[in-house]
Amino acid sequence: MPLIARRTLTLLGVVLALLLPAGAALAHEEREVKLPDGSGTVPVYRQGEPDLLVCKTDKSDFQRRIAKFPADLKQRNLALFARCQKEGVRHLQDAVDRVDKPGMNIAILPGLYLEEPGQPQPEGDCTKLKARQSSWGYQILSYEQQVQCPHNQNLVAILGKKDLQIEGTGAGPLDVVIDAQYRKLNAIRADMTDGVYFRNFTAQRTTFNSLYILATDGFVIDNMLTRWNDEYGFLTFASDHGLYTDCESYGNGDSGLYPGSASNINDGRGHEVPRYSIEIRRCKSHHNMVGYSGTAGDSVYVHDSEFWGNLAGATMDSAFPGHPGLPQNHARFENNKIYDNNATYYDYVKDGTCAKPPAERGYEKGVVCPQIGLPPGSGIITGGGNWNVFRNNWIWGHDNAAFNLLAVPAFIRGEQSWDKQFDTSHDNLYAGNHLGVSPAGEKRANGADVYWDGQGSGNCWEGVRVSSPGALPSCGASGPARVVAEPVKLVQMYLCNDYSIGDRRLPGGCWWFGSSGLARVEVQLALGGSLVLALMAVLLWRRRLRSRWALPLTLVGLAGLTLDVFGALDAYTVLPAAALALTGIWLLGSGLIMRGAFGWFGVVLGVLHLVDAFDKAVWMLPLLPIGPGWIRGLLTGVWVLCAVVAVAPRRTAKAAEVPA
């Protein structure tokens, strides 16, 4: 593509970016961190007696909690309880503070831990820390400030400890509960804690996330439960050699699992890579805004996990600035079950529930307050990602689409370089997935298999039946390489991004938030354009067309324009392409009848409509840097202006009478 054209398109994008609502730039915000050097390893679970014990003192309560344990586990807990009364501590933070060397184990006995010493609000010098405010209102503290004031934001702060293992001794995660009671951003923060291992307990009820692991090379989240948070259940950021295994998360305003800015170890490689920075296996994430999300979720391997009951199953993106490793690349989703992610949580924003203090919203009763805008009813959404692999997943029962692929220009993430603006949505592979059916053979169709905005190169799909566009590049074939999304889809994305939970702002015209029928922006655009063209069609027939084919052609055009409106209501049908084809036939035929400059303009425009229909329904043309819809749309506007002139009443000059 010529440099001047690329720069023109980029300039247009930058202008749109400046107009984007402020909410579109918000996400998880953290201090500037460097990705690990990759010298660590995934820690291994250590058996044996713990070095430090945490328990409460109420023996009757303890006995009640372990009453139904298997005999061996019950006896072990009784022995640990007796030992803990002599040499243990009552709060997890106290045990963490006693860790004085790498490789120590902390055991937490069954009980409810409110961590009372970490609850109070900051006092003294901790109220005067100088740090930038995040968009969400909390301070973005340096590591040194976290060490100075560990409980400004964290109920439990684990800072700089190495090879530490923390394990609940119950029969399951719910036997040991760390409860922040919505008084802190994080229930547990593990910051620069290489080799940390968390196992078999629950963390819950925060104004940000339950378990936060940051700037760490080597961690394991094993049989853990997180729930009922404003933002995330599990948040790992700028980390490497990580493993989530057999975990569960629900009731979170963003995602249950968030491996954001995972170490960018495979940048520059193809689909085959030597290793992944983070592995997620056998986890369950349900009834959140989204089950899994990852801004700059690079080199993350997700397999044999389940995502259901969320607003969307999984997302990965390059949409938010300040995340190391952008643009997102090399996630691999394999053998997962992703189903029935059709939640309508935006209703809680509409009715004011999410404007209440967190403790009063009813998270424990199923309320979720979505932090960002997303198309509900989606399986996996990729918003600006490259070299991702989606293979052998079972995806069924979604109202919208199994897969969404959307481009994100670099200026959205703060990159202004000309050569980076079109660097997302390339080389994503979708193969061998089971769409619209469960592993048990139950047929539950998705609204569509694929929704793609058309931008990017090297993307390919297998086994797709229903999609928008109707024609998708297959794997192994030459596909398109387009630098701008389809115009109507671009307008829709721009509009829908104007969501703000804080301002209770849900964009009108966006179906994500409940708009339907004529209230949807794409339907309004189609209706407005069709009415204008229909008026031109009738006037041309009455005033300019002189042929026995004039009326049939006009009726064909009106049929096409009518179908265009219905096609906007359901883009996952042949109606949009059929509407373009019929409209193209009308313009082509009418132009041939009229001839002249205006007539030949109509011929060209008619051909463009037919080409656009072919591009959308049969085969995406590989040599076009932008879709035919852009050229067609721009020329249609010019054609309408010419048509107004062409159908205007012509005045006949008369000789002026001179009075006697």
Side-chain angles (χ1 to χ4, degrees), residues 213-225:
I213 300 175
L214 172 66
T216 291
D217 197 350
F219 71 83
V220 173
I221 295 167
D222 181 0
N223 193 35
M224 292 284 292
L225 171 65

Side-chain angles (χ1 to χ4, degrees), residues 214-360:
L214 172 66
T216 291
D217 197 350
F219 71 83
V220 173
I221 295 167
D222 181 0
N223 193 35
M224 292 284 292
L225 171 65
T226 54
R227 59 186 181 179
W228 304 328
N229 303 284
D230 272 357
E231 291 279 345
Y232 307 99
F234 300 103
L235 168 59
T236 60
F237 191 76
S239 297
D240 195 2
H241 290 101
L243 172 64
Y244 297 60
T245 183
D246 302 284
C247 63
E248 183 176 7
S249 190
Y250 58 85
N252 302 291
D254 196 292
S255 59
L257 317 179
Y258 182 90
S261 282
S263 197
N264 192 16
I265 59 175
N266 292 312
D267 188 27
R269 298 181 184 273
H271 290 123
E272 299 301 322
V273 300
R275 75 173 180 91
Y276 290 90
S277 58
I278 293 178
E279 179 184 2
I280 298 175
R281 69 186 185 194
R282 298 191 303 272
C283 285
K284 298 178 179 180
S285 187
H286 55 96
H287 299 93
N288 311 285
M289 182 191 78
V290 61
Y292 164 104
S293 68
T295 299
D298 303 332
S299 300
V300 180
Y301 178 30
V302 184
H303 64 98
D304 299 289
S305 295
E306 290 188 54
F307 305 93
W308 79 93
N310 308 288
L311 188 148
T315 69
M316 60 215 69
D317 70 83
S318 304
F320 303 102
H323 288 62
L326 291 172
Q328 184 275 331
N329 63 89
H330 288 94
R332 177 181 169 195
F333 273 64
E334 221 167 36
N335 302 318
N336 300 291
K337 289 183 270 189
I338 304 171
Y339 56 96
D340 294 333
N341 293 288
N342 301 305
T344 56
Y345 295 133
Y346 292 118
D347 291 344
Y348 294 121
V349 180
K350 294 178 185 177
D351 66 14
T353 299
C354 295
K356 299 176 182 178
E360 300 175 14

Side-chain angles (χ1 to χ4, degrees), residues 33-281:
V33 291
K34 292 183 179 179
L35 296 173
D37 62 11
S39 60
T41 59
V42 178
V44 177
Y45 174 66
R46 297 188 294 266
Q47 297 184 342
E49 290 303 303
D51 300 291
L52 298 165
L53 291 171
V54 184
C55 65
K56 297 300 181 182
T57 58
D58 188 336
K59 188 173 183 179
S60 61
D61 178 73
F62 180 75
Q63 290 177 327
R64 177 184 60 80
R65 291 176 182 274
I66 67 171
K68 296 183 179 180
F69 284 9
D72 289 348
L73 183 61
K74 184 176 180 179
Q75 284 303 119
R76 179 173 185 266
N77 273 276
L78 286 170
L80 289 174
F81 184 79
R83 176 185 162 191
C84 184
Q85 298 308 303
K86 297 177 181 179
E87 61 186 64
V89 295
R90 307 302 163 237
H91 306 287
L92 175 57
Q93 185 67 66
D94 291 341
V96 170
D97 292 342
R98 292 190 181 191
V99 172
D100 56 7
K101 63 182 179 180
M104 295 186 71
N105 293 3
I106 297 174
I108 315 174
L109 276 63
L112 174 64
Y113 295 86
L114 303 181
E115 295 292 310
E116 287 86 353
Q119 289 182 12
Q121 293 300 306
E123 297 179 350
D125 290 341
C126 288
T127 64
K128 304 173 184 177
L129 297 180
K130 295 182 179 180
R132 180 169 61 91
Q133 291 286 122
S134 77
S135 302
W136 299 107
Y138 61 87
Q139 282 189 302
I140 302 175
L141 302 179
S142 68
Y143 177 77
E144 291 73 21
Q145 288 173 322
Q146 292 285 355
V147 172
Q148 178 186 350
C149 302
H151 300 298
N152 273 25
Q153 300 177 340
N154 315 297
L155 190 66
V156 176
I158 307 169
L159 306 172
K161 307 295 183 180
K162 305 298 180 185
D163 299 320
L164 175 62
Q165 180 171 296
I166 301 176
E167 177 182 12
T169 65
L174 282 170
D175 293 319
V176 175
V177 177
I178 310 295
D179 189 354
Q181 300 175 286
Y182 305 109
R183 297 180 180 181
K184 295 293 178 181
L185 281 176
N186 308 299
I188 300 174
R189 180 189 187 100
D191 197 333
M192 299 181 67
T193 54
D194 295 353
V196 69
Y197 199 116
F198 294 101
R199 187 173 188 268
N200 196 36
F201 63 92
T202 294
Q204 65 184 31
R205 300 203 299 174
T206 75
T207 59
F208 204 73
N209 46 268
S210 285
L211 179 56
Y212 185 9
I213 300 175
L214 172 66
T216 291
D217 197 350
F219 71 83
V220 173
I221 295 167
D222 181 0
N223 193 35
M224 292 284 292
L225 171 65
T226 54
R227 59 186 181 179
W228 304 328
N229 303 284
D230 272 357
E231 291 279 345
Y232 307 99
F234 300 103
L235 168 59
T236 60
F237 191 76
S239 297
D240 195 2
H241 290 101
L243 172 64
Y244 297 60
T245 183
D246 302 284
C247 63
E248 183 176 7
S249 190
Y250 58 85
N252 302 291
D254 196 292
S255 59
L257 317 179
Y258 182 90
S261 282
S263 197
N264 192 16
I265 59 175
N266 292 312
D267 188 27
R269 298 181 184 273
H271 290 123
E272 299 301 322
V273 300
R275 75 173 180 91
Y276 290 90
S277 58
I278 293 178
E279 179 184 2
I280 298 175
R281 69 186 185 194

Side-chain angles (χ1 to χ4, degrees), residues 510-524:
C510 180
W511 69 266
W512 301 0
F513 310 108
S515 295
S516 60
L518 289 177
R520 290 170 52 180
V521 64
E522 61 269 38
V523 179
Q524 293 172 356

